[in-house]
């Protein structure tokens, strides 16, 4: 018997012909057998119903005009007990109204008597295609459900009214919800995290010309009721072909363990840096005592060696201080004391401070003040550190005789500070990484420039703590421009 393919599985569709006319029953059976179907027959509505109760048929060919139980009586029973079974009604010319009635009652198609083998084959193959599509959809649905339910990440989808259409067990566990069903309910009825609800609102109202993934860190528990968990929440809208928002998808990823490790690492680094700094400083002092000749005469050669040693120790002390700074910023200690900072003033001051080291390399610093700059709520000392770091780098990574241009502009509620140099520049592949700890661009030209690779990570952390961003553009051999964006007070 010929097999029909559906998805990956082979199966032989089962057909039942219910007709009181022997000629039709046997004719249909023969034609359909030849097509490779498994065909059973029943000579009355009653017998047909008995067979349907015993086994499942993919297709039922049902004569409408039969004595006792008619096709119209059989049809609703089939539809209620086997909703997936496709019913094709066989009708006489005189019963066209009945066939319309049968279609309304859920028949898939009808075939008027007398019909040719070809007509029968066409109707049946259409029905087979339909059942196959239904089976594929059902299989796909259950596969998707199984997959989503087994994910360790929490997944939830909503419609455009913020009603839940899908939420896996991991999602419910992560938001600590132990109630009954949530499908069909609005997210506000069971999620009590304003940050998460806000993301869903924002994703749903995202304009057509924009598609961004909203990302937030959300804390749950930690109130005695449940251990604190830190979740990374990603939320995006999903759209139809015209770009209309149909709903949202939220994915939660548990990063509690990562956060703990990160904190432990920071604590360890700050402990070690702290412990290293004091003995280093005392070694420096002792070297200075020797260098100053207080412990006896020092030859030129000895002084040279001791000077080199002091330089190395100085860089270690500097690195320990920067690591401590970074640890402090990461623990969230720096955003506490903010004041209204005027960037025109701050940049001018920094220009003056850096003038001497710039002049030593014959570098000129230009600063164009902008009138009517709004103040920015920021930690002054940290902002000084950001600007000073960027200017120091611009000087350090420029050959003699370059220019540094500083400017401040206003862009969409942000204050933008530009630090532009005509220095060494950087290859494109390094630009992504220069904000990573200890990352330094390594080539012939930077080889003799000393540094820790911690300046830009500190700069970036400070800016992030002020809800801002930093961007860099650079062309190797021509120069770089760093742009710092900080939201200003009036926003
Ligand atoms: P450091 O200067 O101590 O090495 P940073 O974190 O400040 O550390 O900078 C990381 C790297 O980025 C530097 O080593 C340098 O290669 C590159 N860099 C930073 N600023 C500039 C600049 N203005 N021009 C060219 N390269 C730069």
């Amino acid at each position: 018997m010929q097999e029909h393919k559906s998805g990956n599985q082979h199966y032989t569709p089962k057909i039942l012909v219910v007709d009181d006319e022997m000629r039709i029953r046997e004719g249909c059976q023969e034609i359909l057998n030849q097509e490779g179907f498994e065909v059973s027959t029943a000579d009355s509505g009653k017998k047909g119903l008995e067979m349907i109760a015993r086994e499942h048929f993919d297709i039922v060919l049902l004569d409408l005009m039969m004595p006792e139980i008619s096709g119209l009586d059989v049809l609703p029973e089939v539809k209620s007990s086997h909703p997936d079974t496709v019913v094709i009604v066989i009708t006489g010319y005189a019963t066209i109204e009945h066939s319309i009635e049968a279609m309304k009652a859920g028949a898939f198609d009808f075939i008027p008597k007398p019909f040719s083998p070809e007509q029968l084959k066409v109707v049946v193959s259409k029905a087979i295609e339909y059942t196959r599509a239904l089976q594929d959809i059902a299989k796909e649905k259950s596969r998707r459900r199984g997959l989503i339910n087994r994910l360790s990440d929490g997944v939830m989808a909503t419609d455009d009214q913020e009603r839940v259409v899908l939420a896996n067990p991991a999602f419910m566990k992560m938001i600590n919800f132990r109630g009954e069903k949530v499908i069909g309910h609005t997210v506000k009825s069971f999620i009590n995290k304003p940050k998460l609800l806000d993301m869903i609102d924002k994703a749903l109202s995202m304009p057509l010309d924009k598609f961004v993934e909203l990302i937030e860190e959300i804390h749950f528990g930690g109130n005695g009721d449940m251990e604190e968990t830190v979740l990374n929440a990603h939320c995006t809208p999903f759209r139809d072909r015209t770009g209309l928002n149909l709903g949202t998808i939220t994915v939660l990823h548990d990063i509690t363990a990562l956060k703990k490790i990160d904190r432990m690492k920071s604590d360890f680094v700050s402990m070690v840096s702290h412990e290293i700094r004091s003995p280093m400083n005392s070694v420096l002092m002792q070297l200075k005592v020797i260098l100053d000749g207080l412990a006896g005469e020092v030859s030129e050669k000895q002084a040279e060696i001791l000077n080199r040693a002091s330089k190395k120790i100085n860089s270690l002390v500097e690195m320990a201080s920067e690591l401590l700074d970074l640890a402090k910023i990461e623990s969230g200690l720096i955003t506490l004391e903010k004041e209204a900072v005027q960037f025109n003033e701050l940049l001018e001051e920094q220009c003056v401070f850096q003038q001497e080291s710039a002049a030593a390399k014959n570098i000129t610093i230009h600063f164009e003040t902008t009138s009517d700059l709004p103040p920015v709520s920021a930690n002054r000392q940290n902002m000084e550190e950001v600007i000073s770091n960027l200017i120091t780098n611009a000087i350090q990574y420029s050959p003699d005789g370059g220019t540094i241009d500083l400017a401040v502009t206003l862009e969409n509620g942000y204050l933008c500070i530009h630090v532009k140099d005509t220095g060494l520049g950087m290859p494109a592949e390094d630009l992504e990484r220069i904000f990573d700890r200890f990352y330094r661009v390594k080539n012939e030209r930077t080889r003799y420039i000393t540094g820790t690779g911690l300046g830009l990570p500190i700069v970036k952390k400070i800016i992030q703590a002020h809800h801002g961003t930093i961007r860099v553009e650079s062309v190797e051999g021509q120069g770089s421009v760093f742009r710092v964006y900080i939201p200003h007070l009036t926003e």
Side-chain angles (χ1 to χ4, degrees):
M1 192 158 284
Q2 191 193 324
E3 285 180 326
H4 291 254
K5 210 173 154 204
S6 164
N8 294 327
Q9 280 174 325
H10 291 275
Y11 82 109
T12 308
K14 279 176 146 184
I15 301 179
L16 174 67
V17 184
V18 187
D19 201 310
D20 57 336
E21 263 187 77
M22 193 171 74
R23 204 171 42 86
I24 300 275
R25 281 198 312 274
E26 291 184 347
C28 287
Q29 189 166 34
E30 198 185 323
I31 297 161
L32 296 173
N33 271 338
Q34 279 167 11
E35 288 298 299
F37 300 118
E38 195 182 314
V39 186
S40 309
T41 59
D43 59 8
S44 69
K46 184 166 172 278
K47 187 129 178 254
L49 280 176
E50 281 168 10
M51 290 176 76
I52 288 163
R54 274 202 306 271
E55 62 180 308
H56 175 82
F57 291 96
D58 298 293
I59 296 172
V60 174
L61 281 158
L62 181 64
D63 183 19
L64 281 189
M65 299 301 273
M66 289 184 291
E68 293 172 40
I69 301 179
S70 78
L72 277 178
D73 298 323
V74 175
L75 181 57
E77 300 248 351
V78 179
K79 284 276 104 181
S80 73
S81 60
H82 292 267
D84 297 344
T85 297
V86 174
V87 181
I88 300 167
V89 292
I90 305 172
T91 64
Y93 282 126
T95 57
I96 197 82
E97 290 91 49
H98 284 151
S99 35
I100 292 169
E101 210 177 311
M103 296 291 282
K104 281 189 191 156
F108 171 72
D109 206 347
F110 64 93
I111 177 162
K113 283 186 209 172
F115 50 81
S116 67
E118 277 318 308
Q119 283 172 317
L120 178 68
K121 283 185 213 163
V122 169
V123 173
V124 169
S125 68
K126 227 165 64 182
I128 290 288
E129 252 173 53
Y130 176 71
T131 52
R132 206 172 287 160
L134 283 185
Q135 282 167 359
D136 284 350
I137 292 170
K139 236 183 271 166
E140 186 50 44
K141 259 189 174 173
S142 100
R143 194 180 302 147
R144 206 179 44 203
R145 202 178 315 121
L147 196 90
I148 291 172
N149 282 347
R150 269 162 199 76
L151 285 178
S152 56
D153 277 354
V155 179
M156 178 188 69
T158 71
D159 64 11
D160 60 350
Q161 301 298 310
E162 299 192 353
R163 281 180 304 234
V164 180
V165 289
L166 177 156
N168 70 353
F171 187 92
M172 306 317 289
K173 189 162 176 265
M174 284 178 180
I175 64 162
N176 198 24
F177 181 78
R178 298 196 191 92
E180 285 290 297
K181 268 179 62 178
V182 294
I183 306 292
H185 294 264
T186 61
V187 286
K188 289 193 177 73
S189 68
F190 69 98
I191 295 177
N192 57 7
K193 281 280 158 194
K195 222 174 177 182
L196 190 56
L197 293 172
D198 198 42
M199 282 175 95
I200 298 169
D201 277 346
K202 274 195 188 137
L204 206 54
S205 53
M206 199 179 285
L208 297 188
D209 57 349
K210 195 173 157 194
F211 189 87
V212 285
E213 186 173 37
L214 304 169
I215 304 174
E216 290 281 358
E217 205 173 280
I218 299 174
H219 293 243
F220 273 91
N223 44 12
D225 179 31
M226 172 195 170
E227 231 184 273
E228 188 184 30
T229 53
V230 189
L231 305 177
N232 220 343
H234 294 238
C235 188
T236 49
F238 65 91
R239 295 176 165 160
D240 66 6
R241 262 185 270 165
T242 62
L244 213 70
N245 287 343
L246 294 179
T248 62
I249 294 180
T250 308
V251 178
L252 300 180
H253 183 61
D254 193 334
I255 53 164
T256 316
L258 279 179
K259 280 271 160 189
K260 260 190 200 154
I261 293 171
D262 206 44
R263 206 172 298 158
M264 276 164 62
K265 201 177 70 188
S266 273
D267 288 351
F268 176 74
V269 168
S270 59
M271 191 262 286
V272 172
S273 332
H274 195 263
E275 294 302 309
I276 274 179
R277 247 187 351 174
S278 328
M280 292 286 183
N281 277 327
S282 98
V283 171
L284 272 179
M285 299 257 288
Q286 289 172 46
L287 286 176
K288 193 169 178 313
V289 169
I290 302 174
L291 272 169
D292 288 349
L294 299 176
E297 206 178 318
V298 183
S299 73
E300 209 174 301
K301 187 76 194 156
Q302 286 168 335
E304 193 191 317
I305 295 169
L306 290 176
N307 266 325
R308 247 186 283 143
S310 303
K311 226 170 156 186
K312 293 270 178 215
I313 290 172
N314 250 325
S315 346
L316 271 177
V317 172
E318 194 187 322
M319 186 195 286
S321 304
E322 287 187 337
L323 277 171
L324 265 176
D325 278 355
L326 204 57
K328 242 187 267 165
I329 296 164
E330 282 174 345
S331 62
L333 286 176
I334 62 129
T335 48
L336 300 175
E337 296 150 30
K338 283 186 179 173
E339 59 187 287
V341 177
Q342 281 292 351
F343 267 82
N344 268 335
E345 260 171 44
L346 193 145
L347 281 163
E348 241 164 72
E349 273 170 26
Q350 288 302 316
C351 278
V352 174
F353 281 141
Q354 303 273 0
Q355 218 47 263
E356 200 182 318
S357 46
K361 285 183 81 178
N362 223 353
I363 292 173
T364 31
I365 308 180
H366 294 293
F367 171 46
E368 258 184 58
T369 47
T370 313
S371 52
D372 293 337
L373 264 193
V376 170
S377 168
N379 181 298
R380 191 182 175 87
Q381 202 186 334
N382 284 295
M383 282 300 142
E384 283 171 359
E385 196 168 344
V386 166
I387 306 301
S388 134
N389 242 308
L390 295 178
I391 303 178
T392 308
N393 277 351
I395 297 172
Q396 211 171 2
Y397 299 102
S398 287
D400 287 2
T403 321
I404 296 169
D405 284 300
L406 303 178
V408 197
T409 52
L410 284 177
E411 288 178 31
N412 304 322
Y414 284 81
L415 199 85
C416 176
I417 303 126
H418 311 244
V419 181
K420 186 168 180 281
D421 64 54
T422 52
L424 305 181
M426 287 165 274
E429 64 269 21
D430 287 307
L431 292 185
E432 286 279 311
R433 305 199 49 197
I434 53 169
F435 297 100
D436 295 348
R437 287 176 211 196
F438 303 113
Y439 190 82
R440 309 197 66 221
V441 179
K442 288 203 176 81
N443 56 39
E444 262 313 303
R445 307 176 82 177
T446 58
R447 236 178 105 175
Y448 300 103
I449 305 174
T450 54
T452 57
L454 287 169
L456 289 179
I458 291 178
V459 164
K460 188 170 176 182
K461 289 276 176 193
I462 293 176
I463 295 166
Q464 279 175 341
H466 286 79
H467 310 291
T469 47
I470 177 160
R471 297 198 187 125
V472 56
E473 276 171 40
S474 188
V475 180
E476 211 179 351
Q478 291 184 24
S480 315
V481 50
F482 284 83
R483 291 192 180 89
V484 174
Y485 296 84
I486 309 277
H488 61 74
L489 267 184
T490 49
E491 202 205 16

